[in-house]
Amino acid sequence: MHKSTIFLLSLSLMLACSNKPSEPSPQKTSRPHAGAEPYNFRGTLASHNAVRSQLGLIPLRWSNKLARYAQQWADHQAKTQNCAMTHRPHQAGPYKQIYGENLFWASPKRWSDGRIERQEITIAEVVKAWADEVVDYNYNNNSCRAGEQCGHYTQIVWRETREVGCAISVCPDQSQLWVCNYNPPGNYIGEKPY
């Protein structure tokens, strides 16, 4: 992945390594049994929990409820904002943010002959991009390096978080928005993640 094609945004207030999982497809969504990640999101738990295990944290479980919540926002952003990477609002309304949230956006591949294609990205790559923010996190003063982001990482390793659910939407321009939601949420100002 090239930094020029991937942009990350962290949620300040609220908010690897397994075999490479299959790429999620917005048209092919399987319904897993409770607690099992769907086929098209295989690797979500392994990727998150590999990061958490380095700190001795309890592993996360898959939540279908959080996955539906994440899909609602990904679909909304795809339909109304062309996959704009914007977090749910904190004010009251149908899309009010109530869980922790990590977002990931990827541009389409653009070829010199004019073709535009969706990048082949996996959930493991998405989680790795968030987890790589560890280099910009200073645990002693509980802050990100100046000008850098680390809120995705701290949400992944938030001690109280127990569940995760993720979703993806692909827009007509072949850009894609990935959303993972976390319960209980993390990234409370003034609190260390672990």
Side-chain angles (χ1 to χ4, degrees):
M1 282 186 284
H2 300 289
K3 284 187 178 179
S4 65
T5 59
I6 305 298
F7 300 95
L8 300 174
L9 175 69
S10 67
L11 179 62
S12 302
L13 298 174
M14 287 188 56
L15 288 232
C17 197
S18 68
N19 292 335
K20 200 170 190 178
S22 298
E23 178 188 1
S25 168
Q27 292 81 21
K28 178 184 162 193
T29 303
S30 59
R31 280 191 78 103
H33 59 78
E37 58 198 355
Y39 177 80
N40 54 344
F41 277 92
R42 276 187 319 175
T44 302
L45 295 176
S47 299
H48 279 84
N49 291 334
V51 178
R52 292 176 65 83
S53 71
Q54 294 172 5
L55 299 168
L57 299 172
I58 293 171
L60 299 181
R61 299 178 309 269
W62 180 265
S63 166
N64 292 332
K65 177 180 177 181
L66 290 175
R68 287 189 300 272
Y69 183 81
Q71 193 66 62
Q72 177 197 39
W73 186 244
D75 290 346
H76 171 76
Q77 289 302 95
K79 220 179 266 183
T80 64
Q81 303 294 319
N82 195 38
C83 289
M85 194 170 68
T86 305
H87 285 284
R88 284 178 179 260
H90 290 283
Q91 63 269 23
Y95 297 105
K96 181 181 180 356
Q97 180 65 265
I98 57 176
Y99 300 112
E101 182 172 75
N102 279 348
L103 301 177
F104 180 95
W105 180 85
S107 67
K109 287 195 264 186
R110 297 181 186 277
W111 300 95
S112 59
D113 63 4
R115 286 180 298 133
I116 298 174
E117 297 175 349
R118 177 172 56 133
Q119 288 193 59
E120 299 294 323
I121 297 174
T122 67
I123 188 65
E125 292 169 317
V126 170
V127 175
K128 182 182 182 315
W130 294 332
D132 285 349
E133 292 177 0
V134 65
V135 299
D136 297 314
Y137 177 63
N138 182 319
Y139 181 82
N140 292 329
N141 66 18
N142 193 30
S143 67
C144 301
R145 184 184 335 195
E148 300 298 332
Q149 298 180 41
C150 62
H152 299 100
Y153 167 73
T154 55
Q155 176 58 80
I156 290 171
V157 298
W158 198 262
R159 180 183 303 276
E160 287 77 25
T161 299
R162 296 292 180 260
E163 300 177 305
V164 62
C166 300
I168 180 177
S169 278
V170 177
C171 281
D173 70 353
Q174 298 303 298
S175 65
Q176 50 194 294
L177 178 65
W178 296 72
V179 180
C180 285
N181 287 112
Y182 302 84
N183 187 42
N187 286 345
Y188 291 104
I189 291 176
E191 292 184 32
K192 289 186 174 182
Y194 50 88

